[in-house]
Coordinates of all heavy atoms in Angstrom, one line a residue:
G1 N -17.5 -3.2 -23.0 CA -17.6 -2.7 -24.4 C -16.2 -2.6 -25.0 O -16.1 -2.4 -26.2
M2 N -15.1 -2.7 -24.3 CA -13.8 -2.6 -24.8 C -13.2 -4.0 -25.1 O -12.0 -4.1 -25.5 CB -12.9 -1.8 -23.8 CG -13.3 -0.4 -23.6 SD -12.4 0.4 -22.3 CE -10.7 0.4 -23.0
S3 N -14.0 -5.0 -25.0 CA -13.4 -6.3 -25.3 C -13.1 -6.5 -26.7 O -13.7 -5.8 -27.6 CB -14.4 -7.4 -24.8 OG -15.6 -7.4 -25.6
G4 N -12.1 -7.3 -27.0 CA -11.6 -7.5 -28.4 C -10.4 -6.7 -28.8 O -9.9 -6.9 -29.8
G5 N -10.0 -5.8 -27.9 CA -8.8 -5.0 -28.2 C -7.5 -5.8 -27.9 O -7.5 -6.7 -27.1
P6 N -6.5 -5.4 -28.6 CA -5.2 -6.1 -28.4 C -4.5 -5.7 -27.1 O -4.7 -4.6 -26.6 CB -4.3 -5.7 -29.6 CG -4.9 -4.3 -30.0 CD -6.4 -4.4 -29.6
V7 N -3.8 -6.6 -26.5 CA -3.0 -6.4 -25.3 C -1.5 -6.5 -25.8 O -1.1 -7.6 -26.3 CB -3.3 -7.4 -24.2 CG1 -2.4 -7.1 -23.0 CG2 -4.8 -7.2 -23.8
F8 N -0.7 -5.5 -25.6 CA 0.7 -5.5 -26.0 C 1.7 -5.7 -24.9 O 1.4 -5.2 -23.8 CB 1.0 -4.1 -26.7 CG 0.2 -3.9 -27.9 CD1 -0.9 -3.1 -27.9 CD2 0.7 -4.3 -29.2 CE1 -1.7 -2.9 -29.0 CE2 0.0 -4.1 -30.3 CZ -1.2 -3.3 -30.3
N9 N 2.8 -6.3 -25.1 CA 3.9 -6.3 -24.2 C 4.7 -5.1 -24.4 O 4.5 -4.2 -25.2 CB 4.7 -7.6 -24.2 CG 5.4 -7.8 -25.5 OD1 5.6 -6.9 -26.3 ND2 6.0 -9.0 -25.7
D10 N 5.8 -4.9 -23.6 CA 6.7 -3.7 -23.7 C 7.5 -3.7 -24.9 O 8.1 -2.7 -25.2 CB 7.6 -3.6 -22.4 CG 8.5 -4.9 -22.2 OD1 8.3 -5.9 -22.9 OD2 9.3 -4.8 -21.4
R11 N 7.5 -4.7 -25.7 CA 8.2 -4.7 -27.0 C 7.3 -4.5 -28.2 O 7.7 -4.5 -29.3 CB 8.9 -6.1 -27.2 CG 10.0 -6.3 -26.2 CD 10.9 -7.4 -26.4 NE 10.4 -8.6 -27.1 CZ 11.0 -9.7 -27.1 NH1 12.1 -9.9 -26.6 NH2 10.4 -10.8 -27.7
G12 N 6.0 -4.2 -27.9 CA 5.1 -3.9 -29.0 C 4.4 -5.1 -29.6 O 3.8 -5.0 -30.6
E13 N 4.6 -6.3 -29.0 CA 4.1 -7.5 -29.6 C 2.7 -7.7 -29.0 O 2.5 -7.5 -27.8 CB 5.0 -8.7 -29.3 CG 6.4 -8.5 -29.8 CD 7.3 -9.5 -29.2 OE1 7.2 -9.9 -28.0 OE2 8.3 -9.9 -29.9
V14 N 1.7 -8.2 -29.8 CA 0.4 -8.5 -29.3 C 0.5 -9.9 -28.5 O 1.0 -10.9 -29.1 CB -0.6 -8.7 -30.4 CG1 -2.0 -9.1 -29.8 CG2 -0.8 -7.3 -31.1
I15 N 0.2 -9.9 -27.2 CA 0.2 -11.1 -26.4 C -1.1 -11.6 -26.0 O -1.2 -12.7 -25.4 CB 1.1 -10.9 -25.2 CG1 0.6 -9.8 -24.3 CG2 2.6 -10.6 -25.6 CD1 1.2 -9.7 -22.9
G16 N -2.2 -10.8 -26.3 CA -3.5 -11.3 -25.9 C -4.6 -10.4 -26.5 O -4.3 -9.4 -27.1
V17 N -5.8 -10.8 -26.2 CA -7.0 -10.0 -26.6 C -7.9 -9.8 -25.4 O -8.2 -10.8 -24.7 CB -7.8 -10.8 -27.7 CG1 -9.0 -10.1 -28.1 CG2 -6.9 -11.0 -28.9
S18 N -8.2 -8.6 -25.1 CA -9.0 -8.3 -23.9 C -10.4 -8.9 -24.2 O -10.9 -8.9 -25.3 CB -9.1 -6.8 -23.7 OG -9.7 -6.1 -24.8
T19 N -10.9 -9.5 -23.1 CA -12.2 -10.2 -23.3 C -13.3 -9.9 -22.4 O -14.4 -9.8 -22.8 CB -11.9 -11.8 -23.2 OG1 -11.3 -12.0 -21.9 CG2 -11.0 -12.3 -24.3
F20 N -13.1 -9.7 -21.1 CA -14.2 -9.6 -20.2 C -13.8 -9.1 -18.9 O -12.6 -9.1 -18.5 CB -14.9 -11.0 -20.1 CG -13.9 -12.1 -19.6 CD1 -13.7 -12.3 -18.3 CD2 -13.3 -12.9 -20.5 CE1 -12.8 -13.3 -17.8 CE2 -12.4 -13.9 -20.1 CZ -12.2 -14.1 -18.7
V21 N -14.8 -8.8 -18.1 CA -14.7 -8.6 -16.7 C -15.4 -9.8 -16.1 O -16.6 -10.1 -16.4 CB -15.4 -7.2 -16.2 CG1 -15.4 -7.1 -14.7 CG2 -14.7 -6.1 -16.9
R22 N -14.8 -10.5 -15.2 CA -15.3 -11.8 -14.7 C -16.6 -11.5 -13.9 O -16.6 -10.6 -13.0 CB -14.3 -12.5 -13.8 CG -14.7 -13.9 -13.5 CD -13.6 -14.5 -12.6 NE -12.3 -14.6 -13.3 CZ -11.8 -15.7 -13.7 NH1 -12.4 -16.8 -13.5 NH2 -10.7 -15.7 -14.3
F23 N -17.6 -12.2 -14.1 CA -18.9 -12.0 -13.4 C -19.5 -13.4 -13.1 O -19.5 -14.3 -14.0 CB -19.9 -11.2 -14.3 CG -21.3 -11.1 -13.8 CD1 -21.5 -10.2 -12.7 CD2 -22.3 -11.9 -14.2 CE1 -22.8 -10.1 -12.2 CE2 -23.6 -11.8 -13.7 CZ -23.8 -10.9 -12.7
Q24 N -20.0 -13.6 -11.9 CA -20.6 -14.8 -11.5 C -22.1 -14.4 -11.1 O -22.3 -13.7 -10.2 CB -19.9 -15.4 -10.3 CG -20.6 -16.7 -9.9 CD -19.8 -17.3 -8.7 OE1 -18.6 -17.1 -8.5 NE2 -20.5 -18.1 -7.9
P25 N -23.1 -14.9 -11.9 CA -24.4 -14.5 -11.6 C -24.9 -15.1 -10.2 O -24.3 -16.0 -9.7 CB -25.2 -15.2 -12.7 CG -24.4 -16.2 -13.3 CD -22.9 -15.8 -13.0
A26 N -25.9 -14.5 -9.7 CA -26.4 -14.9 -8.4 C -27.1 -16.3 -8.5 O -27.6 -16.6 -9.6 CB -27.5 -13.9 -7.9
S27 N -27.0 -17.0 -7.5 CA -27.6 -18.3 -7.4 C -28.6 -18.3 -6.2 O -28.7 -17.3 -5.5 CB -26.6 -19.4 -7.3 OG -26.0 -19.4 -6.0
S28 N -29.2 -19.4 -6.0 CA -30.2 -19.5 -4.9 C -29.5 -19.4 -3.5 O -30.1 -19.0 -2.5 CB -31.0 -20.7 -4.9 OG -30.2 -21.9 -4.9
T29 N -28.2 -19.6 -3.5 CA -27.4 -19.6 -2.2 C -26.4 -18.5 -2.1 O -25.9 -18.3 -1.0 CB -26.7 -21.0 -2.0 OG1 -25.8 -21.2 -3.1 CG2 -27.7 -22.1 -1.9
Q30 N -26.0 -17.9 -3.2 CA -25.0 -16.8 -3.2 C -25.4 -15.6 -4.0 O -26.1 -15.7 -5.1 CB -23.7 -17.3 -3.8 CG -23.0 -18.3 -2.9 CD -21.6 -18.7 -3.5 OE1 -21.4 -18.7 -4.7 NE2 -20.7 -19.0 -2.6
P31 N -25.0 -14.4 -3.6 CA -25.3 -13.2 -4.4 C -24.4 -13.1 -5.6 O -23.4 -13.8 -5.7 CB -25.0 -12.1 -3.4 CG -24.0 -12.6 -2.4 CD -24.4 -14.1 -2.3
A32 N -24.7 -12.3 -6.5 CA -23.9 -12.1 -7.7 C -22.5 -11.5 -7.3 O -22.4 -10.8 -6.3 CB -24.6 -11.1 -8.7
I33 N -21.5 -11.9 -8.0 CA -20.1 -11.5 -7.7 C -19.6 -10.8 -9.0 O -19.6 -11.4 -10.1 CB -19.2 -12.6 -7.3 CG1 -19.7 -13.3 -6.0 CG2 -17.8 -12.2 -7.2 CD1 -19.0 -14.6 -5.7
L34 N -19.1 -9.6 -8.9 CA -18.4 -8.9 -10.0 C -17.0 -8.7 -9.6 O -16.7 -8.0 -8.6 CB -19.1 -7.6 -10.3 CG -18.5 -6.7 -11.4 CD1 -18.5 -7.5 -12.7 CD2 -19.2 -5.4 -11.5
D35 N -16.1 -9.3 -10.3 CA -14.6 -9.2 -10.1 C -14.2 -8.0 -10.9 O -14.3 -8.0 -12.1 CB -13.9 -10.5 -10.5 CG -12.4 -10.4 -10.3 OD1 -11.9 -9.3 -9.9 OD2 -11.7 -11.3 -10.6
R36 N -13.8 -6.9 -10.3 CA -13.4 -5.7 -11.0 C -12.2 -5.8 -11.8 O -11.8 -4.9 -12.6 CB -13.3 -4.5 -10.1 CG -14.6 -4.2 -9.4 CD -15.5 -3.4 -10.3 NE -16.7 -3.1 -9.6 CZ -17.8 -2.6 -10.2 NH1 -17.8 -2.5 -11.5 NH2 -18.9 -2.3 -9.6
S37 N -11.4 -6.9 -11.8 CA -10.2 -7.0 -12.6 C -10.6 -7.4 -14.0 O -11.6 -8.0 -14.2 CB -9.3 -8.0 -12.0 OG -9.9 -9.3 -11.9
S38 N -9.7 -7.0 -14.9 CA -10.0 -7.3 -16.3 C -9.1 -8.5 -16.8 O -8.0 -8.7 -16.2 CB -9.7 -6.1 -17.2 OG -10.5 -5.0 -16.8
H39 N -9.5 -9.2 -17.8 CA -8.8 -10.4 -18.2 C -8.6 -10.3 -19.7 O -9.3 -9.6 -20.4 CB -9.6 -11.6 -17.8 CG -9.6 -11.8 -16.4 ND1 -10.6 -11.2 -15.6 CD2 -8.9 -12.6 -15.5 CE1 -10.4 -11.5 -14.3 NE2 -9.4 -12.3 -14.2
A40 N -7.7 -11.2 -20.2 CA -7.5 -11.3 -21.7 C -7.2 -12.8 -21.9 O -6.8 -13.5 -21.1 CB -6.3 -10.4 -22.1
I41 N -7.5 -13.2 -23.2 CA -7.1 -14.5 -23.6 C -5.7 -14.4 -24.3 O -5.5 -13.5 -25.1 CB -8.1 -15.1 -24.6 CG1 -9.5 -15.2 -24.0 CG2 -7.6 -16.4 -25.2 CD1 -10.6 -15.7 -24.9
A42 N -4.8 -15.2 -23.9 CA -3.4 -15.2 -24.5 C -3.5 -15.6 -25.9 O -4.3 -16.4 -26.3 CB -2.5 -16.2 -23.7
V43 N -2.7 -15.0 -26.8 CA -2.6 -15.3 -28.2 C -2.4 -16.8 -28.5 O -3.0 -17.3 -29.4 CB -1.5 -14.4 -28.9 CG1 -1.3 -14.8 -30.3 CG2 -1.9 -13.0 -28.8
D44 N -1.6 -17.4 -27.7 CA -1.3 -18.8 -27.8 C -2.6 -19.7 -27.8 O -2.7 -20.8 -28.3 CB -0.3 -19.3 -26.8 CG 1.0 -18.7 -27.0 OD1 1.3 -18.1 -28.1 OD2 1.8 -18.8 -26.0
A45 N -3.6 -19.2 -27.1 CA -4.9 -20.0 -26.9 C -5.9 -19.7 -27.9 O -6.9 -20.4 -28.0 CB -5.4 -19.7 -25.5
L46 N -5.7 -18.6 -28.7 CA -6.7 -18.2 -29.7 C -7.0 -19.2 -30.8 O -8.1 -19.3 -31.3 CB -6.3 -16.9 -30.3 CG -6.4 -15.7 -29.4 CD1 -5.9 -14.4 -30.1 CD2 -7.8 -15.5 -28.8
H47 N -6.0 -20.0 -31.1 CA -6.2 -21.0 -32.2 C -7.4 -22.0 -31.9 O -8.0 -22.5 -32.8 CB -4.9 -21.7 -32.5 CG -4.5 -22.7 -31.5 ND1 -3.8 -22.3 -30.4 CD2 -4.7 -24.0 -31.3 CE1 -3.6 -23.3 -29.6 NE2 -4.1 -24.4 -30.2

């Protein structure tokens, strides 16, 4: 629910936008995987 928030560097510049917690749904051969690390999209890729 916190996705969309800005990610700042130590100089106060926005360097990314928080987006998701990586999740891989279960398949017929593997159980679901939830990666507890958080990710962001870099500002350079937003365009």
Side-chain angles (χ1 to χ4, degrees):
M2 296 173 65
S3 63
V7 177
F8 296 94
N9 66 10
D10 58 351
R11 297 190 325 192
E13 302 165 327
V14 176
I15 59 168
V17 177
S18 62
T19 55
F20 56 85
V21 175
R22 191 181 299 252
F23 175 75
Q24 178 179 336
S27 69
S28 60
T29 58
Q30 291 186 326
I33 298 171
L34 177 61
D35 179 359
R36 295 280 181 196
S37 61
S38 301
H39 296 81
I41 296 175
V43 170
D44 296 343
L46 291 176
H47 70 278

